[in-house]
Amino acid sequence: MSGEAFLVTGGSGGIGSALCAHLAEAGYVPLVGYGAGRARAEATAARLGGEAVALDLTQPQLIDAAVLHIAARAEPLAGVVLGASPPPELAPLGKVSDADMTLQWEVNVAGPRRLLAALTRRCFRKRRRGLVIGVLSAAMGRQGAAKMSSMGAYLIAKHGLDGLLSVAAADYTWLQVGRVYPGFTDTPMLKAFDRRFIEGLEVRSADAVAADVMEVISRLAQELAP
């Protein structure tokens, strides 16, 4: 893995920046994808020997430009973590706003679909290898865990991202596709919840969640090894 690049969407956020640090420690060149948060992304990239990449997933032209730039880099692209996501707007199904639904869908599904299709075409296909990791949510319900209510558009979009990962794995059987399902994480996104609601719940650090993502990356990388 030494010298290969790894793209992280939402790389300027709490989990994203922690993950970029883990990737650098593992020998990857972290590509810190950002929409907002340019200063944080550039500081993270400078500290870790990576590069900040403008990647607003609501802007198709920026997605295309980012892929062209990544494909032209000297280092091959090992993989991508699809981690960008707006904070949830807490609302039940009947009160989901059109604006929130559009934003969540663009950042979690439509933008990642365009990004992943272009990365596959321009970066992964030539070597017939690539790692794709989706950051989903424990609130979706998994292995018998209860699904959370009143998370409206956020969870609809996360299920959409899960579907995107399934389609990518089916259409490109040589891609290694993985998922992580973090729960409540101590990042700025936690401010979307009432403090009284999260009291007593397990809240993990961004670094711990990033370590979980790295476990998936390491396992999939070993499966790709000759």
Side-chain angles (χ1 to χ4, degrees):
M1 69 181 69
S2 178
E4 292 185 317
F6 219 110
L7 174 64
V8 179
T9 71
S12 63
I15 295 174
S17 58
L19 176 57
C20 286
H22 280 269
L23 287 165
E25 184 178 353
Y28 292 105
V29 177
L31 304 182
V32 188
Y34 68 91
R38 176 178 176 177
R40 292 191 302 273
E42 290 179 342
T44 298
R47 176 169 54 87
L48 299 173
E51 182 183 3
V53 179
L55 189 54
D56 184 338
L57 292 170
T58 70
Q59 301 295 323
Q61 68 275 19
L62 289 182
I63 297 172
D64 296 345
V67 172
L68 289 175
H69 177 74
I70 291 167
R73 288 179 59 91
E75 308 94 345
L77 184 70
V80 56
V81 175
L82 300 173
S85 187
E89 183 177 289
L90 302 183
L93 180 63
K95 295 185 178 180
V96 171
S97 69
D98 290 343
D100 188 40
M101 188 70 256
T102 297
L103 178 61
Q104 292 287 351
W105 191 261
E106 286 181 344
V107 177
N108 278 288
V109 187
R113 186 223 52 92
R114 188 181 188 96
L115 174 66
L116 184 54
L119 288 175
T120 300
R121 183 172 63 252
R122 294 188 175 274
C123 300
F124 298 145
R125 179 178 285 161
K126 64 180 70 174
R127 298 197 302 158
R128 291 187 68 80
R129 58 185 291 137
L131 307 177
V132 180
I133 314 297
V135 179
L136 300 175
S137 173
M140 297 166 66
R142 181 172 176 262
Q143 297 178 342
K147 298 177 176 64
M148 288 193 65
S149 64
S150 297
M151 292 187 70
Y154 175 80
L155 285 188
I156 293 170
K158 286 298 184 183
H159 280 284
L161 175 57
D162 189 35
L164 170 62
L165 297 171
S166 295
V167 170
D171 287 350
Y172 306 107
T173 55
W174 41 266
L175 281 178
Q176 299 295 99
V177 178
R179 298 163 171 83
V180 290
Y181 297 84
F184 291 99
T185 308
D186 189 11
T187 68
M189 188 179 289
L190 199 63
K191 295 177 181 177
F193 300 91
D194 190 308
R195 271 289 170 189
R196 293 169 296 178
F197 173 75
I198 62 175
E199 284 178 0
L201 296 176
E202 179 185 0
V203 177
R204 303 182 68 208
S205 70
D207 189 70
V209 175
D212 290 345
V213 179
M214 284 304 303
E215 285 187 15
V216 176
I217 291 172
S218 297
R219 173 176 56 82
L220 295 181
Q222 288 174 2
E223 293 176 7
L224 276 178

